[in-house]
Amino acid sequence: VVVWDPIGGPIAVSVAELLAPDRSVAFVTQDLIVGTQLSRSGDLADASTRLQQAGVVLHKRSRLRRVTATAVTVEDAFTGETREIAAAVVVDGGHRLPDDGLWRDRPELPRAGDAVAPRTIYEAVLEGRRAALALDAGAA
Amino acid sequence: MTAGRHRYLFSPLRLGPVTVRNRIAFAAHLTNYAEDGHPTEQHAEYYEARARGGAGLLITEEHSVHPTDWPYEKLIHGFDESVIPGYRRITEAVHRHGVPIFAQINHNGGQASGMYSRLPVWAPSPVADPLFREVAKEVDHREIAEIVAGYARTAEHCARGGFDGIELQCSHSSIVRGFLSPATNHRADAYGGSLANRARILLEIVAAVRQAIGPQRALGVRLCGDELIEGGTTIDEAVEVARMVEASGHVDYINTSIGVATATLYMIEASMHIPPGYALFIPSTLRKAVDLPVVGVGRFKDPIQAERALADGHCDLIGVVRGQIADPDFAAKARSGHADDIRLCLSCNQECVGRMGLNRWLGCIENPRTGREAVPLPPPPRRGRRVMVVGAGPAGLQAAITAVERGHDVTVFERADAAGGQVRLAASVPNRAEFGDLVRNQLAECAWAGVSVKYGVEVDVDFVRDEAPDAVIVATGAAVERPYWAPPDATHVVDVRQVLDGSATPEGRVLVVDEVGFHHATSVAELLADRGCTVQIVTPGMVVGQDLGVTLDMENWCVRAAAKHITQTTDCLVTGLGDGTVTLMHHPTGQPREVAADWVVCAVPAAPAEQLYLDLKALGSIDVYRAGDCVAPRRAHAAVVEGQRAAVAL
């Protein structure tokens, strides 16, 4: 399994940890450090250690360029050199898009959280609360 | 005063309703001097110093036009009317010296996160920025109108605050850049698709801002000539946008930029590893396409270099930012024929660019007053003391300069036959040579100020007793410290300083041990690779040269290292030496490894060379101070700052 992580947050790292006990996992990121944004939560070094102790092979400074049925092609972020990594499955840990079809049909309605722009739970809770308070304000 | 050999540099230029007296612009750059979204007294003093120093035009750092734009803590909230008194303080200070000052206004768009604003970031399309990595909210037409209105409102605040002009930053971190760039604008409406559509918001902003500021103030647009990203804006589209901007009839000049701040910042604020003039093709190309004056930027650090760019017709104004951060009197010294006295910028990026990335106020490695303009030094309680400075490294020389400025009689004694200490060694690596300007600049200041520097003098307690100074400043630097795993008879294990001073000449397979995380290991690795060695760097850290990211040197180091076949091994400690081998431990797993090596070169923490200070202090009869690495081995900025502090303490 190849896990592709262009974000560096907790999602791809935790997916790799989940898969590692039973599968051969390769972790691909364009960054010099795996899970680079985990520094905010204090898990940067620990996550790197856990992945390596679990046998996850780290492919740092590598960009995912091509996926076939049996392999992925990655490109070195600095030299542009390419190489192949065998892969039966690729897990995309990349960015998401808002699921906003309902809102687009009724744009006058408030929306909150990932339907505005996919971010973290914090923004979802904050904007959910704001949307609810806006209803109260409207009623008043 | 005479323009001397800088005929073009010191000729006036009209920018619409504003005339600048020379072609040296202090272009916009972040300072982190703002507090709670407001400009401060430090802003006023900082800009005033550069106006007093002869700059032709000042352009402030960016002011945000909308509450959705807050990518870093200390951003000026120009959309808030309460900034106007701070604006007036800045403009009045600068105008006292007859220099015009423009305000740069901006919305950073998707090149941000909601960390400070607690709002979704706004962008033309839901594309995550490569640095902030937050998916943006795609703005609708109502929000686009709100952005345009925010620009106009902020421009009006700037006009009321006394600014002489407005610059729209549409170049390297901007929602306008986001709209212009095919890499970040995926829209299918009237604001996406064709270049005319992608430029629509820019032209709407230009018209709205011109209406807000009227004809009496200048309006400039800063454009990116090459984003240096896949699918991004290149020079051909930049030319077309420049033509559209000119055709609007609202704009008085065009400024230029290269790169994207959140993807290729290392090319915007290039360090000494990028040749000067590297971005000159952009103004040069735009200037051929439009009649508006064009500003050129990109590591202009010398007035002769700037004069040449003007004389060759590449641009009409030169943005000298780091050059004037290092020396506020850059322009005045050039104009008066004293260009040799300019404290040349090193392009090291350590205390200017580097501190910005760390959310600290802007400073300068070689000018301890930069960033402290609003905090005057205390007046000297007494003058005329005979001061002995021991050591002619950056700490000792700065102590001497400051002590002389404060009225003391100073002599510097240096053990070696040249000044500079470790700076001299560091600058001996060919692509680090500009770092040596730190010492050259300090020696020039010493000579100008009348400091006597004596070389080849070993100072001990008896020597101090014989000289009988009123005070001694010890700046004796740091000594090499061997790591615990390297016994004294392991002659093939050496320090980077021994390689640089020529006392060790490694050959064959070389393992460089990086426990410092800066240029020490990487520059020596390059030097040895250039000499034909097979080089591997190992570090216990997660990245080799981890602090190179702060100075924007990481990307190009990695490129050069790959070209020189230098291998980088992370997460490993050296635990012992074998016969032609080095034993490592991969600390995340505890697994040992063996590496074949003919030589081991160590970039490891040094020890303070503090014995003279301790001996003098123990006497109890001598007024003694210390500064720099002999306190604790650190980097050059600490030496310079402490040299000044020691002199002030006299």
Side-chain angles (χ1 to χ4, degrees):
Chain A
V1 178
V2 164
V3 178
W4 160 234
D5 182 20
I7 301 178
I11 297 174
V13 167
S14 59
V15 166
E17 285 190 78
L18 186 71
L19 296 173
D22 305 317
R23 297 168 183 83
S24 168
V25 179
F27 192 96
V28 179
T29 174
Q30 77 278 10
D31 295 326
L32 291 166
I33 295 174
V34 170
T36 181
Q37 300 210 55
L38 297 178
S39 58
R40 297 178 187 175
S41 57
D43 195 34
L44 181 70
D46 291 343
S48 176
T49 299
R50 291 196 307 272
L51 288 173
Q52 292 181 79
Q53 289 180 347
V56 175
V57 179
L58 307 182
H59 296 271
K60 294 179 271 191
R61 50 187 273 182
S62 300
R63 290 199 179 98
L64 188 67
R65 286 302 194 194
R66 187 164 176 261
V67 179
T68 67
T70 57
V72 299
T73 302
V74 299
E75 177 187 79
D76 188 286
F78 299 109
T79 67
E81 292 173 358
T82 58
R83 64 184 189 284
E84 282 201 346
I85 304 170
V89 176
V90 178
V91 178
D92 181 7
H95 296 285
R96 294 154 291 146
L97 289 170
D99 184 0
D100 60 359
L102 186 62
W103 174 81
R104 285 185 185 276
D105 290 340
R106 298 283 304 279
E108 73 279 8
L109 293 178
R111 58 177 169 160
D114 283 2
V116 178
R119 289 152 295 159
T120 73
I121 292 170
Y122 175 86
E123 286 84 8
V125 171
L126 181 67
E127 290 178 5
R129 184 168 180 273
R130 282 179 185 156
L133 291 173
L135 291 176
D136 289 345
Chain B
M1 297 277 277
T2 171
R5 56 187 167 173
H6 305 116
R7 185 161 63 91
Y8 293 91
L9 202 54
F10 291 99
S11 59
L13 177 71
R14 280 196 64 182
L15 302 173
V18 175
T19 299
V20 298
R21 63 187 175 187
N22 64 54
R23 308 300 182 94
I24 300 171
F26 195 40
H29 56 281
L30 305 190
T31 66
N32 276 342
Y33 296 154
E35 293 176 5
D36 298 325
H38 291 80
T40 60
E41 186 64 19
Q42 172 56 32
H43 276 110
E45 297 278 354
Y46 175 73
Y47 290 127
E48 183 177 10
R50 277 71 194 175
R52 188 188 303 116
L57 171 67
L58 272 61
I59 308 171
T60 70
E61 66 181 293
E62 64 179 357
H63 310 180
S64 173
V65 302
H66 194 270
T68 50
D69 177 37
W70 198 353
Y72 53 94
E73 182 191 355
K74 294 157 188 167
L75 173 64
I76 296 173
H77 296 177
F79 55 84
D80 185 336
E81 197 176 33
S82 64
V83 297
I84 293 175
Y87 285 173
R88 289 197 179 123
R89 175 69 188 94
I90 292 172
T91 56
E92 286 165 6
V94 171
H95 287 158
R96 275 198 288 272
H97 305 278
V99 178
I101 180 167
F102 298 172
Q104 187 183 77
I105 65 175
N106 189 34
H107 188 303
N108 286 272
Q111 294 174 262
S113 77
M115 185 167 73
Y116 291 109
S117 70
R118 296 304 189 194
L119 297 168
V121 294
W122 284 8
S125 301
V127 176
D129 179 74
L131 178 68
F132 288 97
R133 302 183 182 188
E134 183 169 308
V135 178
K137 176 185 185 298
E138 180 181 286
V139 287
D140 58 28
H141 288 194
R142 182 188 58 79
E143 290 160 340
I144 289 173
E146 196 175 319
I147 292 167
V148 174
Y151 273 89
R153 181 171 59 251
T154 304
E156 190 243 334
H157 293 166
C158 293
R160 286 165 59 194
F163 286 104
D164 304 288
I166 297 292
E167 180 173 282
L168 307 176
Q169 200 262 81
C170 310
S171 45
H172 46 271
S173 181
S174 166
I175 199 165
V176 181
R177 181 210 67 79
F179 271 93
L180 289 171
S181 174
T184 46
N185 184 345
H186 301 164
R187 301 175 74 99
D189 63 1
Y191 291 90
S194 67
L195 182 58
N197 278 358
R198 284 182 273 129
R200 188 179 305 280
I201 190 172
L202 166 60
L203 298 178
E204 289 177 357
I205 291 169
V206 162
V209 170
R210 174 53 80 192
Q211 186 172 16
I213 64 175
Q216 302 305 316
R217 290 180 171 79
L219 176 58
V221 172
R222 191 170 192 181
L223 296 173
C224 178
D226 193 330
E227 294 189 315
L228 304 171
I229 58 173
E230 286 180 0
T233 295
T234 55
I235 190 67
D236 292 340
E237 285 208 341
V239 165
E240 291 308 310
V241 173
R243 286 184 173 135
M244 292 180 203
V245 165
E246 181 174 52
S248 76
H250 295 311
V251 174
D252 301 308
Y253 74 95
I254 289 177
N255 198 347
T256 58
S257 178
I258 188 170
V260 173
T262 47
T264 50
L265 187 63
Y266 55 92
M267 291 300 286
I268 300 173
E269 297 161 341
S271 78
M272 66 181 75
H273 295 272
I274 305 294
Y278 67 97
L280 205 50
F281 73 96
I282 295 171
S284 188
T285 306
L286 297 191
R287 194 167 185 263
K288 292 187 182 84
V290 298
D291 291 329
L292 293 173
V294 177
V295 185
V297 301
R299 219 155 90 70
F300 282 98
K301 51 182 281 181
D302 186 300
I304 296 172
Q305 173 202 5
E307 173 76 6
R308 173 53 59 192
L310 294 169
D312 288 347
H314 294 299
C315 49
D316 302 283
L317 273 158
I318 303 286
V320 179
V321 176
R322 285 171 288 181
Q324 294 184 90
I325 291 173
D327 193 338
D329 298 322
F330 178 97
K333 288 176 179 175
R335 184 177 177 88
S336 63
H338 294 92
D340 290 345
D341 291 343
I342 291 172
R343 189 186 299 113
L344 281 185
C345 166
L346 315 179
S347 300
C348 68
N349 283 354
Q350 289 182 219
E351 291 296 288
C352 49
V353 174
R355 284 176 67 89
M356 293 302 93
L358 298 173
N359 197 30
R360 298 290 294 150
W361 47 266
L362 179 143
C364 175
I365 192 171
E366 57 177 345
N367 184 349
R369 296 301 300 152
T370 296
R372 309 298 288 165
E373 287 85 352
V375 186
L377 294 176
R382 47 188 166 169
R383 296 173 179 272
R385 303 184 81 193
R386 282 186 61 240
V387 178
M388 169 188 284
V389 175
V390 186
L397 292 178
Q398 186 59 50
I401 293 164
T402 304
V404 163
E405 287 172 350
R406 293 170 71 80
H408 302 296
D409 177 14
V410 183
T411 304
V412 179
F413 295 91
E414 167 59 44
R415 180 171 56 188
D417 58 2
Q422 290 188 68
V423 170
R424 185 162 53 93
L425 294 179
S428 68
V429 177
N431 63 17
R432 300 288 300 158
E434 286 178 64
F435 201 59
D437 282 341
L438 171 56
V439 175
R440 187 200 71 82
N441 294 336
Q442 287 183 315
L443 286 174
E445 280 193 73
C446 283
W448 178 80
V451 174
S452 172
V453 184
K454 299 182 184 301
Y455 297 103
V457 181
E458 183 78 47
V459 175
D460 56 17
V461 171
D462 290 338
F463 183 89
V464 174
R465 279 203 185 104
D466 291 344
E467 289 286 319
D470 297 321
V472 180
I473 297 175
V474 178
T476 43
V480 169
E481 182 102 315
R482 281 178 79 82
Y484 77 92
W485 45 262
D489 61 349
T491 54
H492 67 298
V493 180
V494 297
D495 192 83
V496 286
R497 287 162 65 171
Q498 293 170 270
V499 177
L500 294 173
D501 70 15
S503 61
T505 52
E507 295 177 328
R509 299 163 302 183
V510 181
L511 183 71
V512 178
V513 180
D514 178 16
E515 292 185 5
V516 179
F518 208 34
H519 293 288
H520 309 66
T522 56
S523 65
V524 170
E526 284 193 68
L527 184 72
L528 293 172
D530 289 342
R531 290 177 181 172
C533 298
T534 302
V535 181
Q536 177 177 2
I537 304 189
V538 61
T539 176
M542 301 173 86
V543 181
V544 166
Q546 62 184 17
D547 288 356
L548 298 184
V550 173
T551 55
L552 309 181
D553 284 311
M554 182 61 82
E555 284 80 2
N556 286 309
W557 146 251
C558 286
V559 170
R560 294 195 307 272
K564 295 177 180 182
H565 306 293
I566 298 169
T567 55
Q568 305 183 46
T569 303
T570 61
D571 300 313
C572 285
L573 297 159
V574 177
T575 55
L577 300 174
D579 184 16
T581 62
V582 180
T583 305
L584 308 178
M585 185 186 77
H586 182 244
H587 62 74
T589 59
Q591 295 298 310
R593 297 179 184 178
E594 264 198 1
V595 175
D598 302 308
W599 287 79
V600 181
V601 177
C602 301
V604 298
E610 60 185 350
Q611 197 56 53
L612 177 64
Y613 171 79
L614 297 176
D615 290 345
L616 293 173
K617 197 76 179 170
L619 290 178
S621 56
I622 294 177
D623 189 19
V624 60
Y625 308 83
R626 61 173 164 170
D629 280 3
C630 72
V631 179
R634 288 150 295 163
R635 295 174 187 165
H637 75 278
V640 172
V641 167
E642 286 184 2
Q644 185 194 50
R645 284 182 190 150
V648 170
L650 290 170

